[in-house]
Amino acid sequence: MATASTTNDDLEHLEPSLRNVLDQKSLKWVFVGGKGGVGKTTCSSGLAIQLSKVRDTVLIISTDPAHNISDAFDQKFSKVPTRINGFTNLYAMEIDPNLGFSELPEEYFDGSQDMMSVGKAMVQELMSAFPGIDEAMSYAEVMRLVGSMNFSVVVFDTAPTGHTLRLLSFPAVVEKGLGKLLRLKNQVTPFFTQMAGLVGLQDMNSDEMTKKLEDMLPIIRQVNEQFRNPDQTTFVCVCIAEFLSLYETERLVQELAKCSIDTHNIVVNQLLFLPKGEKPCRMCAARHRIQSKYLDQINDLYEDFHITKLPLLDHEVRGTEQVTEFSKLFFEPQSVD
């Protein structure tokens, strides 16, 4: 958003494209989100492809339970980063933020099988005492995995707005929850020791479990700080030129501001550009008038944003080749007459 020192000349020269995201080499986390059905997955996939041209390694993560990036790239992805066919430095993975610790791949947990299963069960029971912390811890563990792989930039293809706002609050939720757990450490440790004796696991060291929590806390704090650092994190809002989508976008922008998360890009998708010299049909002319009205409102509301306008296409965007072609439109300013 524009600061008080932003001048009218600065606003007039804001390029109507996503080139600023590629040029900002310090970015570590790029979120792409908005109302359902506006083309978030296509935009995030295209952005990831363009970023792969200027960064060493790029990961796109789908946090939408629908997992449309598999359809976008016409390739099956899982909970583990997988290289996308046709690229050497672009990877994808799909996670469901609604699922908890039990749904994480087994390789995320260290130690023997017995210890691992008991540890997961106990952690899950303990997590149930903190509402919402289970899925937040699942997310935290994925963030730890992603962080350890040292991707240059991570693009999030997020679920519709409500889930996205909860996702962005997870680092704070985890930090608060882990802080509570660690403060209760002295009371919890004897309980674990006693339970281990009852089930015949006298060798189980409860300190190992608390150490895992302690090791995770600084990682979560780091992610929390990075999410609120405009040099490292930005949110790209995708919408269409209709009332409900505009309303949802404004709600999203306001909530992001409350969370201190940077956003200065709006992508307006599925715009109907009328061919010059041709008389449009009645339906096309009506849709064009509606879109022009809301596009004017978007320009007024977000004068301090980069507003990228994308056309309504006459075909589906599916497969790496088509997504790559679509992504070129991010850098070709369009105007609605």
Side-chain angles (χ1 to χ4, degrees), residues 133 170-180 217 220-221 224:
I133 196 77
F170 275 176
V173 171
V174 175
E175 186 174 342
K176 186 176 179 181
L178 285 182
K180 285 183 179 179
L217 189 56
I220 297 305
R221 280 181 176 151
N224 208 2

Side-chain angles (χ1 to χ4, degrees), residues 22-265:
L22 271 62
D23 292 342
Q24 192 175 342
K25 297 295 192 293
S26 63
L27 281 177
K28 173 72 175 174
W29 314 99
V30 179
F31 290 86
V32 180
K35 192 177 184 298
V38 297
K40 297 185 301 295
T41 298
T42 309
C43 289
S44 60
S45 300
L47 185 57
I49 288 174
Q50 291 297 327
L51 282 166
S52 71
K53 296 178 181 179
V54 296
R55 296 294 194 96
D56 293 334
T57 52
V58 179
L59 172 69
I60 178 170
I61 298 180
S62 171
T63 62
D64 188 342
H67 294 323
N68 293 319
I69 59 171
S70 287
D71 296 323
F73 288 105
D74 205 13
Q75 180 182 344
K76 185 64 180 171
F77 300 113
S78 66
K79 301 168 187 174
V80 178
T82 305
R83 187 170 61 82
I84 297 175
N85 296 334
F87 296 91
T88 58
N89 65 337
L90 180 57
Y91 298 79
M93 66 185 288
E94 297 175 336
I95 61 170
D96 187 346
N98 293 321
L99 300 178
F101 244 80
S102 60
E103 299 298 327
L104 287 172
E106 300 298 340
E107 58 265 28
Y108 287 13
F109 294 85
D110 300 323
S112 67
Q113 284 297 117
D114 289 341
M115 284 288 296
M116 181 180 68
S117 60
V118 171
K120 284 175 68 175
M122 282 187 147
V123 168
Q124 232 174 340
E125 286 296 318
L126 191 59
M127 290 300 113
S128 65
F130 298 88
I133 196 77
D134 182 37
E135 57 184 288
M137 286 290 286
S138 171
Y139 169 77
E141 187 67 13
V142 171
M143 295 300 286
R144 184 189 66 79
L145 174 75
V146 170
S148 68
M149 292 185 173
N150 294 319
F151 288 99
S152 303
V153 63
V154 179
V155 179
F156 283 86
D157 173 42
T158 67
T161 308
H163 292 85
T164 300
L165 295 173
R166 187 173 61 174
L167 174 74
L168 291 170
S169 70
F170 275 176
V173 171
V174 175
E175 186 174 342
K176 186 176 179 181
L178 285 182
K180 285 183 179 179
L181 284 175
L182 293 175
R183 284 195 296 274
L184 293 171
K185 177 182 175 182
N186 290 334
Q187 289 122 331
V188 171
T189 300
F191 166 74
F192 276 138
T193 305
Q194 188 176 10
M195 289 299 296
L198 289 173
V199 297
L201 290 172
Q202 288 86 353
D203 295 333
M204 189 179 87
N205 186 355
S206 58
D207 287 339
E208 289 181 10
M209 296 187 69
T210 53
K211 186 178 184 302
K212 282 197 174 187
L213 297 177
E214 288 172 341
D215 290 344
M216 191 176 287
L217 189 56
I219 296 169
I220 297 305
R221 280 181 176 151
Q222 182 184 28
V223 170
N224 208 2
E225 290 172 6
Q226 288 180 355
F227 276 13
R228 283 153 180 76
N229 184 345
D231 292 330
Q232 295 185 294
T233 302
T234 193
F235 199 107
V236 178
C237 302
V238 183
C239 68
I240 56 178
E242 293 181 3
F243 171 75
L244 286 178
S245 182
L246 176 55
Y247 174 82
E248 196 87 342
T249 300
E250 177 58 17
R251 175 182 164 231
L252 178 59
V253 169
Q254 295 293 336
E255 290 296 327
L256 290 171
K258 289 179 185 176
C259 296
S260 302
I261 294 174
D262 172 76
T263 178
H264 57 270
N265 282 282

